């Protein structure tokens, strides 16, 4: 899937599926996130086809985009969910997802979050430290509800991606070092009645395009599983996390099939073909299913740069300034070539920070009041949005062919401070 697959130009105007984006901008304003429902379905199908008839549970890494409409779509398609907080648990329960298909990751699980997940009956806690294992055992004992658990192993492999989104190296806070894992499993297995050991888990990073880092991690996990087996600790599933990249520009993303074929081969070769494979993809399920629609407020030129100041900002899409991430920016209705001279622009927002930029050095023919689309904004766009500068978070709109629906209205300004009060009685 490319950034434009579900956002085609028709008669010179960018559409979301069959809906012209200017129509959505007029009806709902800008900035708005626009999602393509059929892009979600296609991304999901890529995983399903790759799994074939093997036992693969795809748990959507919902931190990428946790709008209920997106969760509900994946639930209907048969997805499980990877959650990292009590808040995310509440969201998956709100759409009626089956908790038996929910895995709970994260390094800082609090007591209330463990209690809620145990009561809900999640499939598995991905335990990230020995202290967490002890806490989980205590909470499970108090509730009289045994906790199914995997150890999240840090396999110390380089995912060859941006340092901020690389998680499988020794220096990262995530997981339990692979050389400690065996001891932790022995301890977990001894906590009978409180902890039931069911799997092993790792997640090495995000926006990964090579298969080798996964296979490097897998080999280490397989060796660990064999050592555990010889000590009578049998596992039921192997969770390889998420991390498959998407195309923002010209990347050649790793296809689920290319990964899973190699995984199945190695599992079969190790006599572990019976293990369920769990994946936790986020970005690759939603990234290219969304754009951020924004309107140019002003063009501004100084000696050094040209700026297109738009109504979206770093609070709507944090990735460019946080990671130096590149998102394509296109004109929704490009003017005729002789009408406007193209210039090289920095696309910036109204927030009072020099870091408030969405794209740099882009050649665009653009006028004041034109609409722009910032592509590949379906993952880690709205979910990382804030209200900095007391800016209401953007509307979210979902399109299905020629139908569309607001799946989260633009926030009202009053709602941004409605819970606050002055000191006065
Ligand atoms: N599982 C775990 C335990 C994770 O930590 C993550 C992402 C995922 C699954 C999903 O990974 P994905 O398939 O989306 O790569 N905000 C950053 C990405 C942070 C990823 C954090 N963990 C960005 O905008 O690039």
């Amino acid at each position: 899937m490319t950034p434009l697959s579900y956002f085609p130009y028709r008669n010179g105007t960018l559409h979301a599926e069959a809906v012209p984006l200017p129509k959505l901008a007029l009806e709902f304003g800008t900035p708005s996130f626009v999602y393509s429902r059929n892009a979600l379905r296609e991304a999901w199908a890529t995983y399903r086809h790759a799994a074939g008839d093997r036992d693969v549970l795809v748990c959507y890494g919902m931190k990428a985009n946790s709008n209920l409409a997106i969760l509900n779509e994946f639930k209907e398609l048969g997805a499980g969910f990877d959650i990292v907080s009590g808040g995310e648990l509440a969201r998956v329960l709100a759409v009626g997802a089956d908790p038996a298909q929910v895995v709970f990751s994260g390094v800082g699980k609090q007591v209330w979050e463990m209690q809620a997940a145990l009561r809900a009956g999640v499939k598995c806690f991905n335990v990230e430290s020995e202290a967490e294992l002890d806490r989980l055992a205590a909470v499970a004992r108090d509730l009289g509800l045994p906790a199914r658990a995997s150890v999240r192993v840090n396999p110390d492999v380089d995912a060859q991606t941006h340092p901020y989104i690389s998680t499988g190296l020794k220096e990262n806070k995530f997981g339990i070092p692979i050389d400690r894992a065996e001891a932790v499993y022995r301890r977990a297995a001894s906590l009978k009645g409180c902890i039931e050991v069911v799997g092993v888990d790792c997640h090495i990073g995000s926006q990964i395009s090579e298969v080798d880092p996964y296979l490097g991690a897998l080999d280490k996990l397989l060796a660990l599983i064999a050592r555990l087996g010889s000590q009578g600790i049998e596992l039921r599933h192997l969770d390889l996390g998420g991390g498959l990249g998407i195309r923002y520009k010209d990347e050649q993303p790793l296809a689920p099939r290319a990964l899973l074929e190699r995984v199945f081969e190695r599992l079969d070769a190790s006599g572990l073909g019976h293990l369920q494979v769990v994946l936790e993809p986020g970005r690759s399920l939603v990234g290219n299913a969304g754009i951020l629609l924004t309107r140019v407020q002003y063009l501004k030129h100084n000696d050094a740069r040209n700026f297109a100041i738009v109504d979206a900002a770093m609070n709507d899409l944090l990735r460019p300034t946080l990671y130096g991430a590149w998102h394509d920016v296109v004109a929704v209705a490009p003017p005729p070539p002789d009408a406007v001279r193209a210039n090289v622009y920095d696309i910036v927002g109204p927030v009072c920070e020099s870091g408030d930029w969405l794209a740099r050095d882009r050649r665009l023919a653009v006028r004041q009041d034109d609409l722009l689309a910032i592509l590949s904004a379906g993952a880690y766009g709205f979910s990382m949005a804030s209200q900095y500068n007391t800016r209401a978070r953007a509307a979210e709109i979902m399109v299905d062919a020629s139908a569309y629906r607001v799946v989260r209205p633009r926030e009202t300004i009053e709602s941004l401070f409605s819970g606050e009060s002055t000191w006065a009685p």
Side-chain angles (χ1 to χ4, degrees), residues 123-124 148-150 196-200 234-238:
K123 174 182 174 67
C124 181
R148 289 173 289 276
S150 284
E196 186 191 348
V197 174
V198 290
V200 63
E234 298 291 342
L235 306 184
R236 283 182 245 153
H237 75 247
L238 166 77

Side-chain angles (χ1 to χ4, degrees), residues 183-390:
V184 177
Y185 269 104
R186 277 198 299 271
R187 166 140 180 75
S190 74
L191 296 165
K192 292 205 170 47
C194 308
I195 300 286
E196 186 191 348
V197 174
V198 290
V200 63
D201 167 52
C202 75
H203 169 80
I204 54 175
S206 198
Q207 187 55 14
I208 299 170
S209 52
E210 305 294 328
V211 77
D212 287 344
Y214 283 101
L215 299 180
L218 177 63
D219 286 342
K220 292 187 178 184
L221 295 190
L222 292 177
L224 171 67
I225 295 170
R227 292 197 300 276
L228 294 175
S230 68
Q231 297 166 52
I233 301 175
E234 298 291 342
L235 306 184
R236 283 182 245 153
H237 75 247
L238 166 77
D239 183 342
L240 284 173
L244 283 82
I246 61 166
R247 179 173 297 181
Y248 287 97
K249 190 179 195 177
D250 48 13
E251 300 89 336
Q252 292 296 330
L254 172 62
R257 182 189 294 272
L259 171 63
L260 280 178
E261 273 174 0
R262 306 289 294 278
V263 170
F264 297 149
E265 257 169 44
R266 275 183 156 72
L267 283 177
D268 293 344
S270 325
L272 292 168
H274 61 280
L275 285 182
Q276 179 186 54
V277 175
V278 178
L279 296 175
E280 303 169 356
R283 186 192 317 267
S284 50
L285 285 173
V286 292
N288 274 327
I291 60 137
L292 176 55
L293 184 61
T294 182
R295 197 179 288 282
V296 177
Q297 301 299 305
Y298 303 102
L299 297 178
K300 183 168 173 176
H301 311 274
N302 66 22
D303 290 346
R305 329 272 308 166
N306 301 307
F307 297 100
I309 303 171
V310 299
D311 58 12
M314 63 186 285
N315 73 298
D316 301 299
L317 185 66
L318 187 59
R319 305 192 69 255
T321 191
L322 187 57
Y323 313 117
W326 193 95
H327 287 255
D328 205 357
V329 179
V330 298
V332 167
D338 49 349
V340 189
R341 199 159 56 88
N343 260 323
V344 175
Y345 285 100
D346 286 357
I347 319 296
V348 302
V351 164
C352 300
E353 300 259 358
S354 298
D356 180 26
W357 58 274
L358 299 167
R360 281 183 166 155
D361 295 325
R362 303 303 169 84
R363 178 161 289 280
L364 282 170
V366 66
R367 297 160 297 198
Q368 187 166 356
D369 297 327
D370 279 0
L371 289 170
L372 298 177
I374 301 169
L375 306 183
S376 314
Y380 305 109
F382 190 92
S383 66
M384 293 176 77
S386 76
Q387 297 156 328
Y388 186 41
N389 279 202
T390 305

